[in-house]
Amino acid sequence: PVTVQCPVTVQCPVAVQCPVSVQCPVTVQCPVTVQCPVTVQCPVAVQCPVSVQCPVAVQCFVSVQCPVSVQRPVSVQCPVTVQCPVAVQCFVSVQCPVSVQRPVSVQCPVTVQCPVAVQCPVSVQCPVAVQCPVSVQCPVSVRCPVAVQCPVSVQCP
């Protein structure tokens, strides 16, 4: 288990060029702020519950150029704000329930240039606001129930 109960701030470039595997619960109970470029060039596998109970702010470019696999429930119980470009250039697979119970705000361009497969229920029970261009240039497959029980606002192309 990995538990973080204090503010975490990163103000410099972060580069990961190797496989990253998480096989245990990960709990974050504090604000997490990233103010620098984050680059991941390797497979990322998460095989355990991931719980985030605090604000998460990303104010920099985030680039993912490798497969991302999530095989456990992912629960987000806090506001999630993204204020920078987010580029995903790899396969993204989600094989477990994904629940979002707080507002999700995206205020920057979001680009996906790879296949996206979702094979589990996706539930959104909060307002979702998108105020930036969203570009998807890859196959998108959804094979599970998708429930949206909140206002959804899209103010971009």
Side-chain angles (χ1 to χ4, degrees):
V2 177
T3 302
V4 180
Q5 299 182 348
C6 61
V8 177
T9 302
V10 179
Q11 299 182 347
C12 60
V14 177
V16 179
Q17 299 182 351
C18 60
V20 177
S21 177
V22 179
Q23 301 182 352
C24 60
V26 177
T27 302
V28 179
Q29 300 181 349
C30 63
V32 177
T33 302
V34 179
Q35 300 181 349
C36 62
V38 178
T39 301
V40 180
Q41 299 181 350
C42 61
V44 177
V46 179
Q47 301 182 351
C48 61
V50 177
S51 177
V52 179
Q53 301 181 352
C54 61
V56 176
V58 179
Q59 300 180 354
C60 62
F61 185 83
V62 178
S63 177
V64 179
Q65 301 180 353
C66 60
V68 178
S69 177
V70 179
Q71 301 181 351
R72 291 296 183 280
V74 177
S75 176
V76 179
Q77 302 181 350
C78 61
V80 177
T81 301
V82 180
Q83 301 181 348
C84 61
V86 177
V88 179
Q89 300 179 354
C90 62
F91 184 84
V92 178
S93 177
V94 179
Q95 301 181 352
C96 60
V98 177
S99 176
V100 178
Q101 301 179 353
R102 292 295 183 279
V104 177
S105 177
V106 179
Q107 301 180 352
C108 61
V110 178
T111 301
V112 179
Q113 300 181 351
C114 61
V116 178
V118 180
Q119 301 181 351
C120 61
V122 177
S123 177
V124 179
Q125 301 180 353
C126 61
V128 177
V130 179
Q131 301 180 353
C132 60
V134 177
S135 176
V136 178
Q137 301 180 353
C138 60
V140 177
S141 176
V142 178
R143 299 181 183 177
C144 60
V146 177
V148 179
Q149 301 180 351
C150 62
V152 176
S153 176
V154 178
Q155 301 181 354
C156 62

